[in-house]
Every structure is written in structure tokens, then in C-alpha cells.
Amino acid sequence: MPEAFTPRMIMRAEGQTYHQASLLSKQYSGGYWEFFTLNNGGFYLAPTCAERFDVSVDSNGYECNVSADAFGVIVTLFVYGALAWIDDETLREKYSNHYHQLRAFAIEHAEREEILNAID
């Protein structure tokens, strides 16, 4: 995680991840998350469980049911989107880049339609 979030931002990003997960899915009640490094230099987190998650996005009214992996991609995209507004130009650029790297990965994901509709 330090590569993706910087040492001083790890706790903030982790807290935002769990909070965002609970906002997006009433089913989410905590658990272990795995950290993934992408070939394009990006990163994301996903729950390690095998269950699927019902996702409801208040900001656009979209609802879907996705795998834990797709749920992690959605949650991480929301977290990067929030961090891209941080009051630090260097970190703003870093999180904006991570957002676009993860979105590029999402376009190739088996559940791309659900992921892209959720973040639209």
C-alpha cells in the first residue's frame, strides 16, 4: 500500500476504503482486503471473500450485483476520486494517475459494464 498511497496517507486511504465499501453495499460488514498491483503501474484493493456484493450508488442511482473483485475496483475508484481533490498538488496528480490506471484496467475487466456504470 505505501507505493499507492504514500506512508502518510495509508491510514486515511484505508479508512476511506472501508467507509466507501459500507456506503456502496449494505452487505459489506468488514473483512480482509487484498492489495493488487497492475501491469500499468496502478493499484487496487478488493475483499478476499468469495461472496458477491449488491452495490447501490446514490449519486447516479445505479444498482448491480458484482464479484468481490469488481466491488474492490469500484470502491478503489471512488477512493481515488475523492483523494484526487486533496490539497497537495503532487498527491493530487498521483491519485488522479492511479484513478486513470485503474479505470484502464476496469475497461478490460470481465465485469466492466457494472464497474463503469457504477462510477458514471
Side-chain angles (χ1 to χ4, degrees), residues 43-120:
F43 306 92
Y44 75 100
L45 296 147
T48 59
C49 63
E51 73 181 273
R52 296 182 64 84
F53 291 89
D54 292 325
V55 174
S56 179
V57 183
D58 289 340
S59 61
N60 67 11
Y62 185 70
E63 295 183 357
C64 61
N65 180 272
V66 295
S67 66
D69 188 66
F71 181 63
V73 172
I74 293 167
V75 168
T76 308
L77 283 166
F78 272 94
V79 170
Y80 282 144
L83 290 174
W85 295 99
I86 195 166
D87 191 24
D88 178 313
E89 187 175 342
T90 303
L91 290 178
R92 212 172 27 247
E93 184 176 332
K94 177 184 185 86
Y95 299 131
S96 178
N97 288 339
H98 285 324
Y99 177 91
H100 291 289
Q101 290 165 325
L102 181 52
R103 189 178 182 287
F105 170 79
I107 290 170
E108 301 298 323
H109 196 280
E111 296 173 88
R112 70 183 153 272
E113 187 173 318
E114 290 85 354
I115 294 168
L116 296 176
N117 286 327
I119 64 167
D120 185 18

